[in-house]
Amino acid sequence: QVQLVESGGGLVQPGGSLRLSCAASGSNLRTNTMGWYRQAPGKERELVATITRYAMTNYADSVKGRFTISRDNAKNMVYLQMNSLKPEDTAIYYCNADIITTVTSMIYWGQGTQVTVSS
């Protein structure tokens, strides 16, 4: 059974940094595009950043220059380094991955990790 598990959220002051991690687990899996999305209270879930298996990246305009997405294909992990955090970055951050196994090819979501930016 495929699972995505995020870690690294928490409370940080404006201007601070956090690093989120997401691990895909399961048997005989291959991760294609992976990404991070976020959902703030009362708002729809939105894309933060994506990265293809070959490290092509895409960012939301609101995080360009502040966030960096990266991955480790051998470990089936994706990371989000968040710098210069702002209160408006406060949200639940979800990991997303396009995963192929021997029997399925589908999109998976993690359970989410809370990021709160506040003084």
Side-chain angles (χ1 to χ4, degrees), residues 10-80:
L11 173 64
V12 64
Q13 292 186 342
S17 298
L18 280 176
R19 187 187 193 221
L20 305 183
S21 300
C22 173
S25 63
S27 299
N28 300 314
L29 63 85
R30 173 187 169 93
T31 52
N32 292 325
T33 298
M34 304 182 81
W36 291 94
Y37 290 71
R38 67 187 180 186
Q39 187 167 18
K43 295 187 176 181
E44 294 186 353
R45 191 173 297 188
E46 64 176 5
L47 180 146
V48 176
T50 61
I51 183 167
T52 70
R53 184 168 182 84
Y54 303 103
M56 291 183 65
T57 59
N58 178 54
Y59 294 92
D61 287 343
S62 60
V63 306
K64 283 180 181 177
R66 301 187 298 122
F67 292 9
T68 302
I69 190 170
S70 60
R71 64 186 291 164
D72 183 330
N73 290 338
K75 296 180 179 179
N76 292 313
M77 293 194 68
V78 63
Y79 308 94
L80 186 69

Side-chain angles (χ1 to χ4, degrees), residues 73-94:
N73 290 338
K75 296 180 179 179
N76 292 313
M77 293 194 68
V78 63
Y79 308 94
L80 186 69
Q81 177 66 43
M82 304 185 293
N83 298 329
S84 301
L85 282 160
K86 304 175 181 180
E88 50 264 44
D89 294 317
T90 296
I92 300 174
Y93 283 70
Y94 296 92

